[in-house]
Structures are given as structure tokens and as C-alpha cells.
Amino acid sequence: MEVLCREFWHANQEGSGPLLAATISPIAPPSYLNRLDAIHRDTDAASINRDISYSLTKTANAAIQYPNPEITTWTEIYSAYWYAIGAILAAEHTTTRPDWTKVYEAWKDVANTVIKGYSSGVLENWTLPVLYTAGKHLRTFAIKADENVQASENGTNFNVGGLQEDIAGDFGKNEKLEDAARVINRMFTLCISDRAPLEESRKWGLYYTTNLLFKTYFKLNSIGLSKNILRALSASRTDMPALESFPQPHIVTFKYYVGVIRFLEEDYAQAEENLTSAWHMCHRSATRNIELILSYLIPTLLLTRQQLPSPRLLSPYPRLGSLFAPLTLAIRKGSLSAFDTAIAEGEHEFVKRRIYLTLERGRDICLRNLLRKVYLAGDLDEEGKRNTRIYIKDFAAAIRLGESGGSREGMDVEMEGSAGENNDEVECLVANMIYKVTPFSTTFAPHVLTFVRHQNLMKGYIARERGIVVLSKNGAFPGTGI
Amino acid sequence: MIPRSISDPIDPTSLPTPSHGAFTSVSARRAFVRPIPALSSTPSPPPSAAEKAKRDWPESVRHYVQRAFATENTVASIPRQEMEIKLKKIISNSAENNTLGTIDWAKLPLPQQMILEERARPALISANPPWGTGLEPLSLQETNVKSTDTLSKKRKSSELDLSQNGQEKVPPWRIANPHNVFEDRITYPDKRQRGDVAGKGSSKSHHNLANRKKRFEDGQPGYLSQQPFSPSKASTPPDVDQGPVIGRSQDLEKRYFRLTSAPNPDTVRPLPVLEKTLDFLKRKWKKENNYSYICDQFKSLRQDLTVQHIKTEFTVSVYEIHARIALEKGDLGEYNQCQTQLRALYSQHLGGHPEEFKAYRILYFIHTSNRTDMNDVLADLTPTEKRDPAVKHALDARSTLALGNYHRFFQLYLDTPNMGAYLMDMFVARERLNALSNICISYKPDVKLRFFTEELGFESDDESARFICDHGGQSFLEERDGEVRLLTGKALRFFETARNTAFKKVDIKGQI
């Protein structure tokens, strides 16, 4: 117990939040692997409270006069912590199935005593890392507890209630994590509702708790809830410190999540902005985080700027490379069959990351590139101007060319064997090129100004009776230099 | 004279609020019941109450009431109050139905006999409401010793051996009760306490008691009561959330009511009956096509399945059929409820047609333009499922729309498996507007109406022309050389507004 209390006073003397947070870490530091064991063995349930408050008082530097509420609060926290350690050790050392639910419940007590410490005003804002540690591990224990339950029950929970109208519901699948989300939400409220002057306000904990909530909501597959948090944040933006003044890790994570939320809402311009700044601010050595950011930024840029990742960009991240390289190559070449193969092969991964439905739209770019090639293959007239009238059947031939070898299912059903006769589907695809409007972001100087214009992929019109496409003489393929 | 309490329900003016059903009037009356001595044993008339509710009761009814309260007819297992309630119900019912004169009161079974009959049918172990005695210490005692063997044997026999006179088996504390209430009032010291119960507290405690009783009955299916009161049974008190109900109703049809308390086995139909019900409903649906009726019936059918925890292939088919009917009638709320349940049921591998309904799910999310859910559906599909014709059709419909390939989409629309077309109908108009906008901008100077008809999957030129006119585009139709043409070059962005309106978010109740 003395060890713990010495750590406590040391952190207090230093005024170091991280050191203080380390005193309630459920993971032993590498330098002291027996820490949890030692603390747990030091006392028992009967005397835990007395032991802690005694040790806290005893080890206190006489020079520092601490008011009593602090001792009380920390006695409560460390007592809850001691019980949690007991549950953790039991789970880790058991030979049978570890009971993470018990760990979760015990840790929830730790989190609640910490929250109480803040709401009663005893804990100051420099101790916020304590809140972070409590919240962070609450989430991980909740996930473990739910996995526990799922493994033991296996399958959908059927309600047994007499009053339920219908047979089944899938509630209870993430029971503990949902519970954890509520506790973390209280932490968030604790921070956002603090009216103290900024320098001593808990508002500094806002982005950390927000990120923790986002993480939890994403895991729970209820991303919609994140929007409430964003709304609350923007409502109190005026009396919050500027985003830039928060610790960089908080900002990067926050921007990443906002970017992904916007991405899923199909607000690609906002997604681009947030993900780009997350990417720029992210620590270069945080490979995993950069991968995560890029896995959304790449599809976003594909749509907003028709930009494809260069091999150089992908090279440090083999995982991203294998994910995006085939698709990128297909688009660049304008090969529809290669595109279809790539997206079919990557479907599982893409769907898992929720980028499939966005990447799918890259097919338009792929097709545009193909049609552009057809145009460029055309003859030049005497004045050096390119022929802007292109037969539909030429486009059709180009599309079919790519497909002949491929095993694509889908759009070529009627084209096979009826070449030249029915090009209605090709017309339809060309019509889409002319009709579809995509955002074109143009950045004039890096990270200074971004203009989003909406443009068609192709300019011109179809003259159906004559079976030709009349392309615009100026910039038939906007944004491609032609 | 007749206790006022009996006359109350048939004299609406004497009640603060008019009573509509027997049940409400019963509970409203409770507060007055206790202080008024029962007829047979009270020499003096109840004071003002009787005057107020003066009514000329037939002699036969009076005799019936007297017999009901007579000491020798008291049944130990039936608390007096319950008997009184029953009695009032009988009389008020017959008064309401104007059968007071027609009923042969002399032969009509007494209320307590009716209650016994009612109980005998389910053959339940009934929790004898301790409050019926009005003796609180004793009632406490009863609760405590409830699980002991001797007591349970007694109770069981008093409940089950209906032919016998239960008197000698009556637990000692009940002996007091058979005596008339008036005597109680005089001889018992706890008169004041009694008054309390009769006052405000009584209706509440009675209510609780009724609830408890009901729960107890529901939790104990009939045949179980034949066995001795096993300790395990005693240790798990039956509750709303406990164990499936086993239905006893034999009716094929049943109106749907949302449950507000534990289900009553008497109104729940067991599986064999439900199977017949489904056949019956299927035939009826074919014949009459009355959706509000069929929906109601299916809901009660589903409810009966739920309360009995029946999760079999039959359950799946009930939900499937209901979902299909709802789909056919465009009732998306109900359809969604079924779809949610089916999803859970399919995950239990109970049979049915999971692919068909997965396909519907995909089509439905096209309709709601819900990308998040669509992504989840895609994530859940197995390669085998993706090869299923219906699922594949839905997936193709999705991807053609995502890429704006209206040409293929409308071909798929015209060739939809199962009942998917009902779902596709919901978004086909908006996709047509999209295609119309597209064609107007991409084609110059015009296209034949025929082309438009074919590309957008209309059945005839007339139909497609009507579609264009419905959206205000008649001026862009022109007849030339015996052919109707759509002047796309002129229309340009004309249909954009209609298109954009059509694509506004879809919001449907009960959405998963």
C-alpha cells in the first residue's frame, strides 16, 4: 500500500497527470511487473479503506497540507482500484474461463469513483489523465466482457419476457459496452459542463473523452450517436479552447473520426478536409494510424479530385498497397474488367471498412479514362483538331474489348452476340458520363484554399438517331487536361 | 334488502363515472364493499346506501344472494371478496342484459361454484390470497410457510378435490373466515385494522392481490399442478418474465390486443390450433383479401407464438407469410417488424426462405437509401448467398443503381423474382425521374418516346407518356411523322426539381 501511496504523493508533487494516472493503471509497468500483485497482497477487504487512508496520511509530506476531502476521494478510488485488481488477477490467473464481466463491473466502480471525484470538485483539471485511464480501460474491459458472454451463449439472444410482442431481438449482444458508453458519456458531460475558467477547466478533457466515445460508438455500430456529440461540441464551441491548443494526439484522433463520420454521410468535401489535416498532423511513426487515415482519405480523394494514390505513397504501408493497388491500376488504365475484378476481390475488406460503396463509384472514373482513350485515339483533322464526333459503336467496342477476356457478370448480358445492334447500355453509360456531376476540389496552394466545383465527367451530347456522341470542343473531359 | 354495492353498476347515476365494462365497475366499487355487511347476516339495512339505490329486486335474485352468502355454502378456498365480486358480476351482467327475470336463479350455480369451475378447468394451484382473511399476521405466516409440504398438500386438495367438502382440510386460520363477516366484525379485535383495509388501502392491496394471483395462475400450466409442490417450483416464484405460457384456447380467430400484463392461457392458442389458424387465415386471405382483418389476426398469431416461446419452422413461416402479405399491401411498418424477427429466426437456422428475405432487405435499403445498413447487409452476405438468384438480382439492382445504369436496372425490374417487385415499385418512380433527367441532359435534340418507354421499363408508350405528363412535361412531347418524340434538348434540367424531391430521405416507421 505504501508503494501506491508514495507514487501518489510523487505524482502530486510533480503535478503530473500522467504519473497520477499511472497509479491506477490496471497494467503493471515493465519496470515493476509485480505491481498489481504486490498492491493486492498488501491488504484485505476488511481493512482496505483504513489501510489506504492511513498510508495516504502517513506517507504525506508533512510540508504539504492536504485538505481531507482529497484523502477521502483517493481512498475511495484506490479502494475501488484494489477490488478491480483482485478481479483482474483472478481473471488472469484462472485456469478456467476468465470472468471479464466481474473485471468490468469492478473497473466500472473505479470509473464511477473517479467521476465522483471530479463532479464533487475535489479532483483538479491537471489530474484529467486519471479520467482518461479510467475511461480507456473501461472500454477494453467491456469489450472483453461482451466477448465472454458471446462465447458462452453463442447466438442471438431470445427474449424470455412474457410481454414482448415478438420472438426475438438482438439486444444484449454488447451489453457491457453499451453500459460503458453511458459511463464514458458521463465523463464527456463532466468535461463539457464545467463552467470553471479555462485554465482550470475540465474542458481540456473534451477531445479525449469525445474520441473515446466515438471509438465506442463505432465499435457498437451506432455511429449515428456520434453526431449528437458533434452537435454538443459545436454548440459550446464559443467557450471552448481553440482546437489547435489541445494536445496533438487528441486533435488527430478527433479529426480522423470527424472525417470518417463525414465520409459515411457522403459529405466528401468535409471528409477530405478533416482527413487531410489528420494525415498531416499524425505522427509519422504512428503507422497504424496513418494507415487508418489513408484508408478513408484515398477513396475520398478518388471522388473529390479523381486522385489516385501513387505507388510511392503506398509503399511504406504494404497493407494499404495490397488493398488499393489493383484498383488504382485498373482505374489508371481505364480497364473496366480489371476494375471489376479488383473490387470483387477486395469486397470483403472494403465492406468491412465501409469504403466499398464509395470505391464502387470509382468505376465512373475508370470508364471516363477509357472513353478518353478512345477520343485520344481518334484522328486529327487538317488543322490539328481532334475529331469530336465519336460513334457509339466505337465506345461500345472499347468497353467490350476490356471485357472479352474478363469473366465479368453483370452489364454485358445483352451485348454479347448482339454487337453493333444494341448499344443502348453503352449509350446509357455515356449518358451517365455527361449527366453525372462530381465535386472537383482544386487546391491552389497546398492546404490554403480548397475550391469545390461541380463538374461533369464528360461534356457533350448523344445524337441517338445518328448513333454518335458529339463531344465538346473545349475540355471534353474536364479536369484531365483535355 | 340488497347491498348497495350490487345495485351500483346498473345505476350509473350513483357512480362518479359511468362504468363501461364489468371490470371497471368492480374495481370502482371496492371501496364501498367492506363496511357494508353481507345481506344474509345483517339484520339492519345498510343506511343511506340502500335508499339511494332503491331497486325492486326479484325475490329469486334475493334468494340467490342469500344462498351465496350462507355459511354452509362457503368454500374455504375462495376468499369472500372474490365470491362477492363474482356475485356482483353475475347480477349486474344479467341486469344489464335484462335477464334478471329470465334466469332460473334457484338453479343457477352459486358464485363460489362458478369460481371453482373456472379454476378447475385449468386445474391450477391457486395462491389463496392471504388478504382475503383480513388478518395480516396470518397472511404473513402463510406466505412464509407457503413452500412447506403440509400446507401445499392442503391447498392442492382444497383446490383439486372439488367434489369433497373442503371444510376439514381448511387451514386453521381460514376457519374464521367462513363465518359471516358481521360476526367477524363483532368478535374480532382487529376491527380497526379491518376498517383500514376496507378504506383506501383495500383497493390497492386487492389490485396487487389480483395481479399476483393472475401471475401465479399463468405461470403454472395445468398439468404441473398434479405433481407435489416441488421445492424447485417454490424457489422460483412464477413471474411475468418466467417460462412460456401454455395456451388452452381453441379458437381459430382472435383479435389482437397489445399485452399489458401477463398473458392469460385461456386466450392463448396452443401450436396445433395455431397451425389450423394459419391454414384458415391463408384461405381467408385468398378469398377475402381483407388486409386490416388479416393483419390483426396475424399479429395475434405472432403474439401467441411469442408468449409460448414457440420457435420452429412454423414460426418462421408465420412471419414470412405475414411479411409477404404486408409487402403486397405496402404496409412497410408491419413488414419491417416481420423482417426484423425473421432475421433473428434465420440466424437460428430454423428453415424458411432466408435468401428470399435477404433479397428483400437489400431492395428495401435501396428504397431507404440507407448506406450504413446497406454496407452491413453486404458485410453479412456469404458467398453462397450471393449466388442465390434472388439475392443476386437484388445485388445487381443495387449496383446498377449505384452506377446510374438505368438500362440494366429496368431490365432487372421487369424480371424480379418472388415479391421483390412490390419493394421495387416503391423506388422505381424516383429512379425513372433520375433516368428521365439524365436522358434530357445527355441526348439532343430528341428521342423517340418508344426508346424512353423501353429504357425505363414502362409497359406501353401510353404509360410512359403519362409519366412525363404527370411531372408537367407534356410540352416536351411532340408528334412528328407518326411518332411521339421527347424533346430532350428543350427539357434539359426541367425534371431536376421533381427528381431531387423524389430523392429526399425516406423515413418509415418501424425501420430496422
Side-chain angles (χ1 to χ4, degrees), chain B residues 78 200 255 286 347 375 383 438 478 503:
Chain B
I78 297 171
K200 210 181 168 199
R255 295 227 49 192
K286 257 185 211 147
S347 72
N375 191 78
N438 190 332
E478 195 182 85
F503 270 89

Side-chain angles (χ1 to χ4, degrees), chain A residues 156 158 165-168 266 347 351 354 357-358 360 414 425 427 431-432 435-436 462 464-465, chain B residues 256 302 311 319 341 347-348 371 375-376 398 403-405 407 411 442-444 451 485 496:
Chain A
T156 320
F158 273 74
E165 287 296 299
D166 277 310
I167 297 276
E266 294 182 87
E347 183 180 329
V351 166
R354 301 179 175 278
L357 298 176
T358 305
E360 184 185 37
E414 77 172 56
E425 182 168 8
E427 270 184 37
N432 264 299
Y435 177 66
K436 265 189 196 164
I462 303 169
R464 182 171 160 80
E465 310 290 272
Chain B
Y256 170 73
R302 279 159 46 187
K311 278 165 288 185
Y319 278 96
Q341 296 304 311
S347 72
Q348 309 266 306
R371 279 167 59 94
N375 191 78
D376 293 344
R398 187 208 65 78
L403 293 169
N405 191 339
H407 173 85
Q411 287 181 340
S442 316
Y443 286 83
K444 277 178 192 171
F451 165 74
R485 292 174 166 269
E496 285 287 278

Side-chain angles (χ1 to χ4, degrees), chain A residues 43 83 91 101 169 210 217 262 266 290 301 320 324 338 341 377 457:
Chain A
T43 181
Y83 279 106
T101 308
T210 300
Y217 289 151
R262 298 297 177 220
E266 294 182 87
I290 292 182
L301 290 178
L320 285 182
F324 289 115
T341 314
L457 286 163

Side-chain angles (χ1 to χ4, degrees), chain B residues 222-416:
Chain B
Y223 56 85
L224 284 179
S225 61
Q226 303 294 340
Q227 295 150 14
F229 209 66
S230 67
S232 67
K233 273 267 137 33
S235 62
T236 51
D239 197 43
V240 182
D241 295 338
Q242 207 104 41
V245 166
I246 291 172
R248 291 187 289 263
S249 169
Q250 295 297 314
D251 302 334
L252 281 186
E253 292 169 277
K254 175 178 145 186
R255 295 227 49 192
Y256 170 73
F257 288 108
R258 200 172 203 290
L259 287 175
T260 50
S261 62
N264 177 359
D266 287 338
T267 59
V268 172
R269 298 158 291 184
L271 185 58
V273 179
L274 290 175
E275 280 166 351
K276 277 185 218 146
T277 299
L278 182 63
D279 283 339
F280 171 78
L281 291 179
K282 281 200 279 194
R283 262 180 281 124
K284 195 136 176 163
W285 172 243
K286 257 185 211 147
K287 216 166 65 201
E288 295 171 12
N289 215 23
N290 176 354
Y291 182 66
S292 57
Y293 165 82
I294 215 82
C295 182
D296 189 71
Q297 291 294 320
F298 264 95
K299 279 166 92 88
S300 72
L301 179 51
R302 279 159 46 187
Q303 190 183 58
D304 284 359
L305 287 170
T306 308
V307 298
Q308 298 179 91
H309 294 201
I310 299 173
K311 278 165 288 185
T312 60
E313 194 172 357
F314 176 71
T315 318
V316 177
S317 68
V318 167
Y319 278 96
E320 284 182 345
I321 292 169
H322 193 187
R324 289 194 195 108
I325 292 175
L327 207 52
E328 189 179 331
K329 287 290 157 186
D331 184 353
L332 280 188
E334 211 56 53
Y335 162 78
N336 273 327
Q337 283 183 29
C338 295
Q339 179 68 279
T340 317
Q341 296 304 311
L342 281 171
R343 222 178 126 209
L345 289 166
Y346 290 145
S347 72
Q348 309 266 306
H349 306 292
L350 297 168
H353 306 82
E355 285 87 7
E356 177 190 341
F357 280 84
K358 278 234 162 111
Y360 294 160
R361 237 171 111 68
I362 296 168
L363 293 175
Y364 178 78
F365 289 139
I366 299 177
H367 170 51
T368 57
S369 312
N370 191 331
R371 279 167 59 94
T372 317
D373 288 343
M374 182 65 88
N375 191 78
D376 293 344
V377 176
L378 294 181
D380 288 346
L381 287 176
T382 65
T384 327
E385 285 171 333
K386 283 184 200 165
R387 281 195 294 274
D388 175 84
V391 175
K392 189 173 170 341
H393 171 274
L395 285 175
D396 286 347
R398 187 208 65 78
S399 74
T400 52
L401 281 185
L403 293 169
N405 191 339
Y406 52 82
H407 173 85
R408 275 245 327 126
F409 171 75
F410 287 106
Q411 287 181 340
L412 288 166
Y413 169 61
L414 294 178
D415 187 25
T416 309

Side-chain angles (χ1 to χ4, degrees), chain B residues 472-493:
Chain B
Q474 53 271 35
S475 60
F476 305 116
L477 289 173
E478 195 182 85
E479 195 165 344
R480 208 189 320 142
D481 312 329
E483 269 183 330
V484 182
R485 292 174 166 269
L486 176 64
L487 304 178
T488 54
K490 279 195 186 141
L492 276 177
R493 301 205 171 267

Side-chain angles (χ1 to χ4, degrees), chain B residues 40-56:
Chain B
S40 59
S41 53
T42 29
S44 61
S48 59
E51 289 160 31
K52 196 180 166 196
K54 207 82 182 168
R55 167 152 188 157
D56 208 1

Side-chain angles (χ1 to χ4, degrees), chain A residues 359-374:
Chain A
L359 285 175
E360 184 185 37
R361 288 161 65 172
R363 197 172 195 271
D364 284 337
I365 320 268
C366 187
L367 180 65
R368 195 270 319 267
N369 289 351
L370 178 65
L371 300 187
R372 184 171 169 270
K373 274 185 174 176
V374 174

